[in-house]
Amino acid sequence: MSTATTKTARRQTLDPLDLVGIDQLLSGDERAVRSTVRAMCAELVDPFVADWYERGTIDDVRELVRSLGRGGLLGMHLEGYGCAGMSAVDYGLACLELEASDSGLRSLVSVQGSLAMFAIHQWGSPEHKDEWLPRMAAGDAVGCFGLTEPDSGSDPASMRTRARQDGDDWVIDGRKMWITNGSIADVAVVWAGTDDGIRGFVVPTTSPGFSAPLIKHKMSLRASVTSELVLDGVRVPASAAFPEVRGLRGPLSCLNEARYGILWGSLGAARSSLHAALEYASTREQFGRPISSFQLTQQKLVDMSIELSKGALLALTIGRAKDDGRLDPVQVSVGKLNNVRSALEICRTSRTILGANGISLEYPVMRHMNNLESVLTYEGTSEMHTLIVGQAMTGRSAFA
Ligand code: TGC
Ligand code: FAD
Protein backbone atom coordinates (compact mmCIF):
# COMPACT_ATOMS: atom_id res chain seq x y z
CA MET A 1 0.00 0.00 0.00
CA SER A 2 1.38 3.44 -0.87
CA THR A 3 1.94 6.02 1.86
CA ALA A 4 -0.80 8.21 0.43
CA THR A 5 -3.33 5.35 0.60
CA THR A 6 -2.36 4.52 4.20
CA LYS A 7 -2.91 8.13 5.23
CA THR A 8 -6.33 8.18 3.57
CA ALA A 9 -7.30 4.91 5.26
CA ARG A 10 -6.24 6.30 8.63
CA ARG A 11 -8.24 9.43 8.08
CA GLN A 12 -11.31 7.41 7.19
CA THR A 13 -11.15 5.32 10.37
CA LEU A 14 -10.69 8.34 12.66
CA ASP A 15 -13.85 9.12 14.60
CA PRO A 16 -14.22 12.93 14.61
CA LEU A 17 -15.92 12.68 18.00
CA ASP A 18 -13.14 10.50 19.45
CA LEU A 19 -9.98 11.70 17.78
CA VAL A 20 -7.54 9.99 20.12
CA GLY A 21 -9.35 6.64 20.20
CA ILE A 22 -10.57 6.56 23.80
CA ASP A 23 -12.99 3.90 22.63
CA GLN A 24 -10.08 1.46 22.51
CA LEU A 25 -9.43 2.01 26.22
CA LEU A 26 -12.84 0.54 27.02
CA SER A 27 -13.52 -3.18 27.41
CA GLY A 28 -16.02 -4.98 25.22
CA ASP A 29 -18.43 -5.16 28.16
CA GLU A 30 -18.13 -1.42 28.75
CA ARG A 31 -18.85 -0.70 25.09
CA ALA A 32 -21.85 -3.03 25.32
CA VAL A 33 -23.25 -1.11 28.31
CA ARG A 34 -22.82 2.10 26.37
CA SER A 35 -24.60 0.69 23.30
CA THR A 36 -27.48 -0.61 25.39
CA VAL A 37 -28.05 2.73 27.10
CA ARG A 38 -27.70 4.57 23.80
CA ALA A 39 -30.36 2.32 22.25
CA MET A 40 -32.69 2.84 25.22
CA CYS A 41 -32.35 6.61 24.95
CA ALA A 42 -32.95 6.48 21.19
CA GLU A 43 -36.21 4.64 21.78
CA LEU A 44 -37.55 6.18 24.98
CA VAL A 45 -36.35 9.75 24.96
CA ASP A 46 -34.79 11.16 21.80
CA PRO A 47 -37.96 11.31 19.68
CA PHE A 48 -39.85 13.17 22.43
CA VAL A 49 -37.41 15.22 24.45
CA ALA A 50 -37.50 18.47 22.47
CA ASP A 51 -41.27 18.52 22.85
CA TRP A 52 -41.04 17.76 26.58
CA TYR A 53 -38.52 20.54 26.90
CA GLU A 54 -40.70 23.00 25.03
CA ARG A 55 -43.76 22.16 27.12
CA GLY A 56 -41.72 21.90 30.34
CA THR A 57 -43.09 18.48 31.20
CA ILE A 58 -42.15 14.82 30.69
CA ASP A 59 -45.09 12.77 29.42
CA ASP A 60 -45.79 9.71 31.56
CA VAL A 61 -42.70 10.22 33.68
CA ARG A 62 -43.55 7.30 35.98
CA GLU A 63 -43.57 4.90 33.04
CA LEU A 64 -40.24 6.34 31.89
CA VAL A 65 -38.82 5.69 35.37
CA ARG A 66 -40.09 2.10 35.26
CA SER A 67 -38.48 1.62 31.85
CA LEU A 68 -35.19 2.93 33.22
CA GLY A 69 -35.60 0.50 36.12
CA ARG A 70 -36.23 -2.42 33.78
CA GLY A 71 -33.07 -1.39 31.91
CA GLY A 72 -31.10 -1.69 35.17
CA LEU A 73 -30.12 1.99 35.21
CA LEU A 74 -31.43 2.99 38.65
CA GLY A 75 -28.78 2.58 41.32
CA MET A 76 -26.81 0.61 38.72
CA HIS A 77 -23.49 1.06 40.57
CA LEU A 78 -24.90 -0.19 43.89
CA GLU A 79 -24.73 -3.79 45.14
CA GLY A 80 -27.70 -5.90 46.25
CA TYR A 81 -31.37 -4.98 46.71
CA GLY A 82 -32.09 -5.50 43.01
CA CYS A 83 -29.34 -3.08 41.92
CA ALA A 84 -27.16 -4.06 38.98
CA GLY A 85 -23.77 -3.78 40.78
CA MET A 86 -21.99 -2.34 37.75
CA SER A 87 -18.62 -0.59 37.81
CA ALA A 88 -18.05 3.14 38.18
CA VAL A 89 -16.90 3.32 34.55
CA ASP A 90 -20.07 1.54 33.39
CA TYR A 91 -22.12 4.01 35.40
CA GLY A 92 -20.17 6.93 33.94
CA LEU A 93 -20.69 5.71 30.38
CA ALA A 94 -24.41 5.35 31.08
CA CYS A 95 -24.57 8.92 32.42
CA LEU A 96 -22.83 10.16 29.28
CA GLU A 97 -25.39 8.48 27.03
CA LEU A 98 -28.33 9.69 29.14
CA GLU A 99 -27.08 13.27 29.06
CA ALA A 100 -26.44 13.07 25.30
CA SER A 101 -30.24 12.80 25.19
CA ASP A 102 -30.91 15.46 27.83
CA SER A 103 -29.36 16.60 31.11
CA GLY A 104 -32.83 16.27 32.65
CA LEU A 105 -32.83 12.54 32.01
CA ARG A 106 -29.39 12.14 33.56
CA SER A 107 -30.56 14.27 36.49
CA LEU A 108 -33.53 11.99 37.07
CA VAL A 109 -31.23 8.96 37.13
CA SER A 110 -28.51 10.71 39.17
CA VAL A 111 -30.88 11.82 41.88
CA GLN A 112 -32.60 8.46 42.06
CA GLY A 113 -29.40 6.35 42.07
CA SER A 114 -26.56 8.50 43.33
CA LEU A 115 -28.36 10.70 45.82
CA ALA A 116 -31.55 9.10 47.18
CA MET A 117 -30.64 5.41 46.74
CA PHE A 118 -26.97 5.90 47.58
CA ALA A 119 -27.91 7.77 50.78
CA ILE A 120 -30.17 4.92 51.88
CA HIS A 121 -27.67 2.26 50.77
CA GLN A 122 -24.75 3.92 52.54
CA TRP A 123 -26.39 5.39 55.64
CA GLY A 124 -29.82 3.77 56.01
CA SER A 125 -30.88 1.10 58.51
CA PRO A 126 -31.48 -2.45 57.24
CA GLU A 127 -35.21 -1.64 57.36
CA HIS A 128 -34.77 1.49 55.19
CA LYS A 129 -32.85 -0.54 52.63
CA ASP A 130 -35.35 -3.40 52.54
CA GLU A 131 -38.30 -1.05 52.30
CA TRP A 132 -37.07 1.31 49.61
CA LEU A 133 -34.11 0.06 47.56
CA PRO A 134 -35.72 -2.83 45.62
CA ARG A 135 -38.68 -0.65 44.61
CA MET A 136 -36.43 2.24 43.67
CA ALA A 137 -34.13 -0.01 41.61
CA ALA A 138 -37.18 -1.32 39.75
CA GLY A 139 -38.48 2.18 39.12
CA ASP A 140 -41.63 1.50 41.16
CA ALA A 141 -40.69 4.18 43.68
CA VAL A 142 -39.03 7.54 43.02
CA GLY A 143 -36.69 9.31 45.42
CA CYS A 144 -35.49 12.86 45.88
CA PHE A 145 -32.72 14.44 47.96
CA GLY A 146 -33.38 17.60 49.94
CA LEU A 147 -30.29 19.51 50.96
CA THR A 148 -30.57 23.01 49.42
CA GLU A 149 -32.86 25.60 51.00
CA PRO A 150 -34.03 29.05 49.93
CA ASP A 151 -31.32 30.68 52.09
CA SER A 152 -28.78 27.86 52.11
CA GLY A 153 -27.20 26.68 48.86
CA SER A 154 -23.42 26.55 48.59
CA ASP A 155 -23.19 26.66 52.37
CA PRO A 156 -25.44 23.78 53.47
CA ALA A 157 -24.09 24.02 57.04
CA SER A 158 -26.32 27.11 57.35
CA MET A 159 -29.54 25.10 56.79
CA ARG A 160 -32.59 26.12 58.83
CA THR A 161 -34.70 22.99 58.48
CA ARG A 162 -34.91 21.45 61.94
CA ALA A 163 -35.87 18.04 63.27
CA ARG A 164 -36.80 17.83 66.96
CA GLN A 165 -37.57 14.76 69.01
CA ASP A 166 -41.11 14.50 70.37
CA GLY A 167 -41.62 11.32 72.36
CA ASP A 168 -40.68 8.46 70.05
CA ASP A 169 -41.07 10.59 66.94
CA TRP A 170 -39.16 13.23 65.02
CA VAL A 171 -40.99 16.37 63.93
CA ILE A 172 -39.44 18.15 60.93
CA ASP A 173 -40.07 21.79 59.96
CA GLY A 174 -38.50 23.67 57.08
CA ARG A 175 -38.24 24.28 53.35
CA LYS A 176 -36.04 22.73 50.71
CA MET A 177 -35.58 24.42 47.34
CA TRP A 178 -34.67 23.33 43.81
CA ILE A 179 -35.24 19.66 44.49
CA THR A 180 -35.04 17.39 41.45
CA ASN A 181 -37.83 14.76 41.26
CA GLY A 182 -39.51 16.39 44.29
CA SER A 183 -43.11 16.47 43.02
CA ILE A 184 -43.01 12.90 41.68
CA ALA A 185 -41.14 11.37 44.61
CA ASP A 186 -42.47 8.65 46.88
CA VAL A 187 -39.66 9.16 49.34
CA ALA A 188 -37.54 12.17 50.23
CA VAL A 189 -34.13 11.98 51.86
CA VAL A 190 -34.25 15.17 53.93
CA TRP A 191 -31.25 16.65 55.72
CA ALA A 192 -32.09 18.66 58.84
CA GLY A 193 -30.36 20.20 61.83
CA THR A 194 -30.85 18.43 65.18
CA ASP A 195 -29.42 18.91 68.67
CA ASP A 196 -26.89 16.29 67.58
CA GLY A 197 -25.82 18.00 64.32
CA ILE A 198 -27.15 17.58 60.78
CA ARG A 199 -28.94 14.27 60.26
CA GLY A 200 -30.66 12.55 57.35
CA PHE A 201 -34.29 11.39 57.43
CA VAL A 202 -36.18 9.01 55.18
CA VAL A 203 -39.52 10.75 54.72
CA PRO A 204 -42.42 9.15 52.80
CA THR A 205 -43.95 11.93 50.74
CA THR A 206 -47.43 10.88 51.88
CA SER A 207 -46.56 12.07 55.41
CA PRO A 208 -49.05 14.69 56.66
CA GLY A 209 -47.46 18.17 56.46
CA PHE A 210 -45.27 17.27 53.50
CA SER A 211 -45.86 18.88 50.11
CA ALA A 212 -43.73 19.38 47.02
CA PRO A 213 -44.94 22.21 44.77
CA LEU A 214 -43.46 22.30 41.29
CA ILE A 215 -41.04 25.10 40.42
CA LYS A 216 -42.16 26.67 37.15
CA HIS A 217 -40.73 29.21 34.69
CA LYS A 218 -37.33 27.48 34.38
CA MET A 219 -35.33 28.29 31.27
CA SER A 220 -33.03 25.31 31.88
CA LEU A 221 -33.66 21.62 32.63
CA ARG A 222 -37.19 22.01 31.38
CA ALA A 223 -37.47 18.25 30.82
CA SER A 224 -36.87 17.65 34.52
CA VAL A 225 -39.10 17.92 37.57
CA THR A 226 -37.77 20.56 39.99
CA SER A 227 -39.66 21.30 43.19
CA GLU A 228 -39.78 22.97 46.54
CA LEU A 229 -40.20 20.68 49.55
CA VAL A 230 -42.40 22.07 52.30
CA LEU A 231 -42.20 20.35 55.67
CA ASP A 232 -44.75 21.70 58.13
CA GLY A 233 -44.57 19.68 61.32
CA VAL A 234 -43.90 16.44 59.45
CA ARG A 235 -43.98 13.66 62.04
CA VAL A 236 -41.91 10.56 61.35
CA PRO A 237 -40.97 7.69 63.69
CA ALA A 238 -37.58 7.53 65.43
CA SER A 239 -36.60 4.86 62.91
CA ALA A 240 -36.81 7.41 60.03
CA ALA A 241 -33.41 8.88 60.93
CA PHE A 242 -30.20 7.50 59.46
CA PRO A 243 -28.78 5.75 62.51
CA GLU A 244 -25.06 6.48 62.37
CA VAL A 245 -24.06 9.48 60.32
CA ARG A 246 -23.88 12.99 61.77
CA GLY A 247 -22.83 16.27 60.18
CA LEU A 248 -22.25 17.31 56.58
CA ARG A 249 -20.24 14.17 55.91
CA GLY A 250 -23.59 12.43 55.31
CA PRO A 251 -24.89 14.55 52.43
CA LEU A 252 -21.45 15.36 51.03
CA SER A 253 -20.63 11.65 50.68
CA CYS A 254 -23.72 11.34 48.45
CA LEU A 255 -22.72 14.38 46.44
CA ASN A 256 -19.42 12.70 45.58
CA GLU A 257 -21.41 10.01 43.78
CA ALA A 258 -23.66 12.38 41.86
CA ARG A 259 -20.82 14.74 40.97
CA TYR A 260 -18.96 11.74 39.59
CA GLY A 261 -21.92 10.97 37.29
CA ILE A 262 -22.01 14.58 36.13
CA LEU A 263 -18.35 14.67 35.15
CA TRP A 264 -19.16 11.96 32.63
CA GLY A 265 -22.68 13.07 31.81
CA SER A 266 -21.81 16.62 30.78
CA LEU A 267 -19.63 15.16 28.02
CA GLY A 268 -22.76 13.61 26.53
CA ALA A 269 -24.38 17.02 26.08
CA ALA A 270 -21.12 18.23 24.54
CA ARG A 271 -20.84 15.25 22.20
CA SER A 272 -24.40 15.65 20.99
CA SER A 273 -23.84 19.36 20.31
CA LEU A 274 -20.54 18.80 18.52
CA HIS A 275 -22.12 16.06 16.43
CA ALA A 276 -24.93 18.44 15.42
CA ALA A 277 -22.41 21.17 14.58
CA LEU A 278 -20.27 18.84 12.50
CA GLU A 279 -23.22 17.58 10.49
CA TYR A 280 -24.58 21.07 10.00
CA ALA A 281 -21.21 22.44 8.91
CA SER A 282 -20.83 19.79 6.23
CA THR A 283 -24.22 20.51 4.63
CA ARG A 284 -24.79 24.22 5.17
CA GLU A 285 -23.38 26.27 2.30
CA GLN A 286 -22.46 29.95 2.29
CA PHE A 287 -20.32 31.82 -0.22
CA GLY A 288 -20.80 28.78 -2.47
CA ARG A 289 -19.06 26.33 -0.16
CA PRO A 290 -19.93 24.15 2.85
CA ILE A 291 -19.16 26.18 5.96
CA SER A 292 -16.96 23.27 7.15
CA SER A 293 -14.48 24.32 4.47
CA PHE A 294 -13.80 27.65 6.17
CA GLN A 295 -10.73 27.75 8.36
CA LEU A 296 -12.52 29.51 11.20
CA THR A 297 -15.20 26.79 11.31
CA GLN A 298 -12.56 24.06 11.23
CA GLN A 299 -10.74 25.70 14.11
CA LYS A 300 -13.90 25.60 16.18
CA LEU A 301 -14.57 21.96 15.31
CA VAL A 302 -11.00 20.91 16.07
CA ASP A 303 -10.82 22.76 19.38
CA MET A 304 -14.16 21.32 20.48
CA SER A 305 -13.21 17.77 19.59
CA ILE A 306 -9.87 18.04 21.39
CA GLU A 307 -11.61 19.41 24.50
CA LEU A 308 -14.14 16.56 24.32
CA SER A 309 -11.31 14.01 24.16
CA LYS A 310 -9.48 15.66 27.07
CA GLY A 311 -12.68 15.56 29.12
CA ALA A 312 -13.23 11.90 28.28
CA LEU A 313 -9.66 11.00 29.25
CA LEU A 314 -10.15 12.82 32.55
CA ALA A 315 -13.46 11.03 33.15
CA LEU A 316 -11.96 7.64 32.37
CA THR A 317 -8.93 8.26 34.60
CA ILE A 318 -11.21 9.28 37.46
CA GLY A 319 -13.53 6.35 36.76
CA ARG A 320 -10.71 3.80 36.84
CA ALA A 321 -9.48 5.34 40.11
CA LYS A 322 -12.98 5.03 41.56
CA ASP A 323 -13.20 1.39 40.54
CA ASP A 324 -9.78 0.77 42.13
CA GLY A 325 -10.94 2.44 45.37
CA ARG A 326 -8.27 5.15 45.22
CA LEU A 327 -10.38 8.17 44.26
CA ASP A 328 -10.07 11.36 46.31
CA PRO A 329 -13.21 13.57 46.36
CA VAL A 330 -11.03 16.51 45.29
CA GLN A 331 -10.41 14.65 42.02
CA VAL A 332 -14.18 14.51 41.50
CA SER A 333 -14.22 18.30 41.89
CA VAL A 334 -11.43 18.57 39.28
CA GLY A 335 -13.50 16.48 36.88
CA LYS A 336 -16.83 18.22 37.51
CA LEU A 337 -15.26 21.67 37.24
CA ASN A 338 -13.38 20.96 34.04
CA ASN A 339 -15.87 18.83 32.19
CA VAL A 340 -18.99 20.92 32.82
CA ARG A 341 -17.11 24.10 31.96
CA SER A 342 -15.72 22.54 28.76
CA ALA A 343 -19.07 21.03 27.82
CA LEU A 344 -20.77 24.40 28.15
CA GLU A 345 -18.12 26.02 25.99
CA ILE A 346 -18.53 23.28 23.38
CA CYS A 347 -22.29 23.86 23.30
CA ARG A 348 -21.86 27.61 22.98
CA THR A 349 -19.37 27.22 20.13
CA SER A 350 -21.55 24.63 18.40
CA ARG A 351 -24.41 27.08 18.64
CA THR A 352 -22.41 29.64 16.67
CA ILE A 353 -21.78 27.12 13.88
CA LEU A 354 -25.50 26.56 13.50
CA GLY A 355 -26.09 30.28 13.14
CA ALA A 356 -29.73 31.22 13.64
CA ASN A 357 -30.75 27.56 13.51
CA GLY A 358 -28.65 27.14 16.64
CA ILE A 359 -31.34 28.78 18.74
CA SER A 360 -34.06 26.44 17.49
CA LEU A 361 -35.32 23.37 19.32
CA GLU A 362 -35.15 21.60 15.95
CA TYR A 363 -31.52 21.05 16.96
CA PRO A 364 -30.37 19.86 20.39
CA VAL A 365 -27.64 22.45 20.89
CA MET A 366 -29.40 25.31 22.66
CA ARG A 367 -31.33 22.85 24.81
CA HIS A 368 -28.05 21.27 25.97
CA MET A 369 -26.49 24.69 26.46
CA ASN A 370 -29.36 25.91 28.62
CA ASN A 371 -29.37 22.66 30.59
CA LEU A 372 -25.66 22.94 31.32
CA GLU A 373 -26.22 26.30 32.99
CA SER A 374 -27.98 24.34 35.75
CA VAL A 375 -25.36 21.62 35.72
CA LEU A 376 -22.66 24.28 36.23
CA THR A 377 -24.54 25.41 39.37
CA TYR A 378 -25.96 22.28 40.96
CA GLU A 379 -23.94 19.66 42.80
CA GLY A 380 -21.56 22.44 43.82
CA THR A 381 -21.12 25.55 41.70
CA SER A 382 -17.99 25.95 39.59
CA GLU A 383 -16.82 28.46 42.21
CA MET A 384 -17.24 25.88 45.02
CA HIS A 385 -15.27 23.27 43.09
CA THR A 386 -12.55 25.82 42.34
CA LEU A 387 -12.29 26.56 46.07
CA ILE A 388 -12.28 22.84 46.96
CA VAL A 389 -9.37 22.26 44.57
CA GLY A 390 -7.68 25.51 45.65
CA GLN A 391 -7.85 24.42 49.27
CA ALA A 392 -6.36 21.04 48.40
CA MET A 393 -3.50 22.71 46.52
CA THR A 394 -2.65 25.43 49.04
CA GLY A 395 -3.90 24.08 52.34
CA ARG A 396 -5.88 27.32 52.79
CA SER A 397 -9.66 27.60 52.87
CA ALA A 398 -11.03 30.53 50.87
CA PHE A 399 -14.74 29.81 51.44
CA ALA A 400 -15.34 32.51 54.02
P1 TGC B 1 -16.23 20.95 55.74
O1 TGC B 1 -15.93 21.49 57.11
O2 TGC B 1 -15.19 21.02 54.69
O3 TGC B 1 -16.69 19.44 55.89
C1 TGC B 1 -17.74 19.07 56.76
C2 TGC B 1 -17.68 17.55 56.93
O4 TGC B 1 -17.92 16.92 55.67
C3 TGC B 1 -16.78 16.13 55.30
N1 TGC B 1 -16.61 16.28 53.85
C4 TGC B 1 -16.85 15.29 52.98
N2 TGC B 1 -17.26 14.02 53.17
C5 TGC B 1 -17.43 13.26 52.08
N3 TGC B 1 -17.22 13.73 50.83
C6 TGC B 1 -16.83 15.01 50.60
N4 TGC B 1 -16.65 15.46 49.36
C7 TGC B 1 -16.63 15.85 51.71
N5 TGC B 1 -16.26 17.15 51.86
C8 TGC B 1 -16.25 17.39 53.17
C9 TGC B 1 -15.62 16.70 56.09
O5 TGC B 1 -14.61 15.74 56.26
C10 TGC B 1 -16.32 17.04 57.38
O6 TGC B 1 -16.53 15.83 58.07
P2 TGC B 1 -16.48 15.75 59.69
O7 TGC B 1 -16.82 14.33 60.00
O8 TGC B 1 -15.09 16.15 60.07
O9 TGC B 1 -17.52 16.74 60.16
O10 TGC B 1 -17.57 21.63 55.25
P3 TGC B 1 -17.92 23.13 54.91
O11 TGC B 1 -19.13 23.52 55.67
O12 TGC B 1 -16.69 23.99 55.04
O13 TGC B 1 -18.37 23.04 53.37
C11 TGC B 1 -17.53 22.66 52.38
C12 TGC B 1 -18.19 22.89 51.00
C13 TGC B 1 -18.47 24.36 50.76
C14 TGC B 1 -17.19 22.41 49.97
C15 TGC B 1 -19.49 22.08 50.92
O14 TGC B 1 -20.43 22.58 51.79
C16 TGC B 1 -20.05 22.02 49.54
O15 TGC B 1 -19.69 21.15 48.76
N6 TGC B 1 -21.01 22.94 49.16
C17 TGC B 1 -21.74 22.83 47.92
C18 TGC B 1 -23.16 22.36 48.18
C19 TGC B 1 -23.67 21.45 47.14
O16 TGC B 1 -22.93 20.88 46.33
N7 TGC B 1 -24.96 21.23 47.13
C20 TGC B 1 -25.56 20.31 46.21
C21 TGC B 1 -26.99 20.00 46.59
S1 TGC B 1 -27.62 18.52 45.84
C22 TGC B 1 -27.81 18.92 44.22
O17 TGC B 1 -27.44 19.94 43.75
C23 TGC B 1 -28.46 17.91 43.38
S2 TGC B 1 -28.66 18.32 41.72
C24 TGC B 1 -28.89 16.78 41.12
C25 TGC B 1 -29.34 16.64 39.75
O18 TGC B 1 -30.46 17.07 39.40
O19 TGC B 1 -28.60 15.96 39.01
P1 FAD C 1 -25.62 30.38 46.14
O1 FAD C 1 -24.97 29.45 47.06
O2 FAD C 1 -26.45 31.46 46.71
O3 FAD C 1 -24.50 31.00 45.20
C1 FAD C 1 -24.72 32.14 44.34
C2 FAD C 1 -23.38 32.50 43.71
O4 FAD C 1 -22.44 32.87 44.74
C3 FAD C 1 -22.74 31.33 42.97
O5 FAD C 1 -22.04 31.79 41.85
C4 FAD C 1 -21.75 30.79 43.99
O6 FAD C 1 -20.68 30.05 43.42
C5 FAD C 1 -21.28 32.09 44.62
N1 FAD C 1 -20.69 31.86 45.94
C6 FAD C 1 -21.30 31.42 47.07
N2 FAD C 1 -20.43 31.31 48.07
C7 FAD C 1 -19.23 31.70 47.58
C8 FAD C 1 -17.92 31.78 48.10
N3 FAD C 1 -17.63 31.44 49.38
N4 FAD C 1 -16.92 32.20 47.30
C9 FAD C 1 -17.17 32.52 46.00
N5 FAD C 1 -18.39 32.45 45.44
C10 FAD C 1 -19.39 32.04 46.21
N6 FAD C 1 -30.31 20.85 45.54
C11 FAD C 1 -30.65 19.75 46.27
O7 FAD C 1 -30.43 19.70 47.48
N7 FAD C 1 -31.26 18.69 45.68
C12 FAD C 1 -31.57 18.66 44.36
O8 FAD C 1 -32.11 17.68 43.83
C13 FAD C 1 -31.24 19.81 43.57
N8 FAD C 1 -31.58 19.87 42.24
C14 FAD C 1 -31.37 21.03 41.54
C15 FAD C 1 -31.88 21.15 40.24
C16 FAD C 1 -31.71 22.33 39.54
C17 FAD C 1 -32.29 22.47 38.17
C18 FAD C 1 -30.99 23.40 40.11
C19 FAD C 1 -30.76 24.67 39.34
C20 FAD C 1 -30.49 23.29 41.39
C21 FAD C 1 -30.69 22.12 42.13
N9 FAD C 1 -30.28 22.02 43.47
C22 FAD C 1 -30.60 20.90 44.21
C23 FAD C 1 -29.71 23.18 44.14
C24 FAD C 1 -28.22 23.41 43.86
O9 FAD C 1 -27.44 22.44 44.48
C25 FAD C 1 -27.88 24.82 44.32
O10 FAD C 1 -28.50 25.71 43.43
C26 FAD C 1 -26.38 25.06 44.37
O11 FAD C 1 -25.79 24.31 45.41
C27 FAD C 1 -26.04 26.55 44.57
O12 FAD C 1 -26.78 27.12 45.59
P2 FAD C 1 -27.59 28.50 45.34
O13 FAD C 1 -28.37 28.35 44.09
O14 FAD C 1 -28.31 28.79 46.59
O15 FAD C 1 -26.47 29.57 45.05
Side-chain angles (χ1 to χ4, degrees), residues 123-145:
W123 302 117
S125 65
E127 292 73 27
H128 293 147
K129 297 178 195 185
D130 288 337
E131 180 178 1
W132 290 107
L133 293 178
R135 291 168 59 204
M136 293 172 85
D140 291 332
V142 175
C144 68
F145 183 90

Side-chain angles (χ1 to χ4, degrees), residues 103-104 106-111 115 123 145-148 153-158 178-181 221 224-225 246-256 258-259 262 329-330 333 374-375 377-381 384-385 387-388 391 397 399:
S103 302
R106 198 268 309 133
S107 264
L108 191 163
V109 170
S110 283
V111 169
L115 291 181
W123 302 117
F145 183 90
L147 181 64
T148 306
S154 298
D155 178 20
S158 66
W178 299 111
I179 306 304
T180 301
N181 296 350
L221 279 182
S224 173
V225 174
R246 302 284 186 281
L248 272 185
R249 195 165 65 90
L252 291 181
S253 63
C254 308
L255 296 187
N256 291 336
R259 291 167 175 174
I262 289 173
V330 174
S333 288
S374 287
V375 180
T377 287
Y378 68 33
E379 294 287 357
T381 64
M384 286 303 106
H385 290 293
L387 296 181
I388 290 169
Q391 182 174 16
S397 166
F399 290 105

Side-chain angles (χ1 to χ4, degrees), residues 263-334:
L263 73 88
W264 281 90
S266 52
L267 299 174
R271 186 192 70 198
S272 168
S273 296
L274 174 55
H275 181 247
L278 196 54
E279 281 203 333
Y280 190 86
S282 61
T283 53
R284 173 74 176 175
E285 291 194 4
Q286 287 296 286
F287 298 95
R289 296 156 59 189
I291 60 171
S292 62
S293 66
F294 300 131
Q295 290 180 355
L296 290 176
T297 306
Q298 288 193 6
Q299 169 135 47
K300 290 177 186 176
L301 293 169
V302 169
D303 286 350
M304 287 193 285
S305 191
I306 289 174
E307 285 309 313
L308 185 64
S309 289
K310 283 156 66 178
L313 283 170
L314 185 55
L316 190 57
T317 304
I318 289 173
R320 297 277 185 238
K322 191 167 182 358
D323 278 327
D324 290 349
R326 55 181 168 79
L327 183 62
D328 188 303
V330 174
Q331 295 168 327
V332 176
S333 288
V334 172

Side-chain angles (χ1 to χ4, degrees), residues 62 111-112 115-117 120 128 131-133 135-136 140-146 179-190 201-207 210 229 240 242:
R62 294 300 300 235
V111 169
Q112 176 85 347
L115 291 181
M117 291 177 74
I120 293 170
H128 293 147
E131 180 178 1
W132 290 107
L133 293 178
R135 291 168 59 204
M136 293 172 85
D140 291 332
V142 175
C144 68
F145 183 90
I179 306 304
T180 301
N181 296 350
S183 311
I184 57 165
D186 301 285
V187 61
V189 171
V190 174
F201 296 85
V202 179
V203 180
T205 56
T206 49
S207 307
F210 182 99
L229 304 185
F242 289 147

